[in-house]
Amino acid sequence: MTSDGRQIRRGVRVALAALLVAASQLVVAAETFNPSPNAIEIPAWFQETFLDFREDVREAAKQGKRLMIYFGQDGCPYCTRLMRDNFSQKDIVDKARGSFNAIAINIWGDRETRWTDGKTQTEKALAARLGIQYTPTLLFLDEKGAVALRINGYYPPHQLRAALDYVAGKQEGKTPFAAYLRSNAQQAASGRLHEQAFFLRPPLELDRSRRPAPRPLVVLFEQKECAACDELHRQGFEDPAVRKLIGRFDVARLELFGADRAVTPAGKPVTEEQWGRELKVAYTPTFVFFDGNGREVFRVEAYVRPFHLASAFDYVASGAYRSEPSFQRYLQARAEKIRAAGGRVDPW
């Protein structure tokens, strides 16, 4: 073979190798682009992006929209409810599609993301960094990538509608979300606050700053016109597991927009409404958990069924929050332990 022939053959081999490398890079890029598999079907109008949220925010702003990021996981009954009961309703879908670009994140996923500060991490690392404790969690970003609203957990349709209107209308700098919900997400309710024998009696002197308390404290915020509060007393507090665990806490109930006075765990005199505003409580019922020293360690601020409510109480009462920062991992381990002992787990 002539030297010219050998050079031609080498050139062909180099070209083929370059094509193979390019093809493999395209495959990797395609695999990175595809969303993580979801047993819970994500609506087709959610967008598939490269998860560079700086670019996603810019793209939404160009379209006159904001960004809505859904954090979910497979096997999540509340995520199923969000998709089935909320995103199946035309008016909710129209509100969401008209004002937001929606992106789905799997809190256990391995796709690479780039957050608004430019930091790169996997989906699960991002979820941990953002402190995602509940699924679904909805994060709404404004035109500059700042969080306009965060919903930690499941909101029923009438409250999600209000949340979408609140962010789409750019109300975050004008009206507290709690006040907006109160005015725009009414639902038929009993119109009264329910009493429980385990509630601390007023005046609520909850100061733990000078002397640690022997038991953790849970502060429950409710409203009179609150269907979910009615359900809590009718079902949640009647659940045997919840009642057993709640006996390990001091329990203080406050009215979210009430005028009664209390002393916080930090020793600060406040009204009920003032403290709710300082804690950024919007949803009722909300549970805020404090340790014996008066430090907030956990909260439940969305709709939950008895199993998850009992798990929240157990998470704090057992001290598991100290060694397991992920409530979702704790939930999985607790459910497995109950099943292994022959018990039944009813997540909904």
Side-chain angles (χ1 to χ4, degrees), residues 259-282:
D260 287 350
R261 300 197 67 81
V263 177
T264 72
K268 180 180 179 181
V270 291
T271 64
E272 296 169 294
E273 182 176 12
Q274 180 184 356
W275 196 17
R277 189 166 57 247
E278 289 178 0
L279 291 174
K280 294 182 170 59
V281 174

Side-chain angles (χ1 to χ4, degrees), residues 209-281:
S209 63
R210 286 174 283 187
R211 182 190 305 175
R215 304 202 303 177
L217 167 71
V218 60
V219 177
L220 167 63
F221 285 91
E222 295 190 287
Q223 297 182 75
K224 292 176 182 176
E225 298 296 337
C226 171
C229 301
D230 294 338
E231 181 181 319
L232 169 68
H233 289 267
R234 188 174 62 247
Q235 297 182 19
F237 284 153
E238 293 301 313
D239 182 81
V242 173
R243 292 194 72 86
K244 181 178 179 180
L245 285 160
I246 211 167
R248 300 171 65 180
F249 289 81
D250 293 330
V251 185
R253 195 271 303 283
L254 288 82
E255 187 174 2
L256 182 57
F257 296 99
D260 287 350
R261 300 197 67 81
V263 177
T264 72
K268 180 180 179 181
V270 291
T271 64
E272 296 169 294
E273 182 176 12
Q274 180 184 356
W275 196 17
R277 189 166 57 247
E278 289 178 0
L279 291 174
K280 294 182 170 59
V281 174

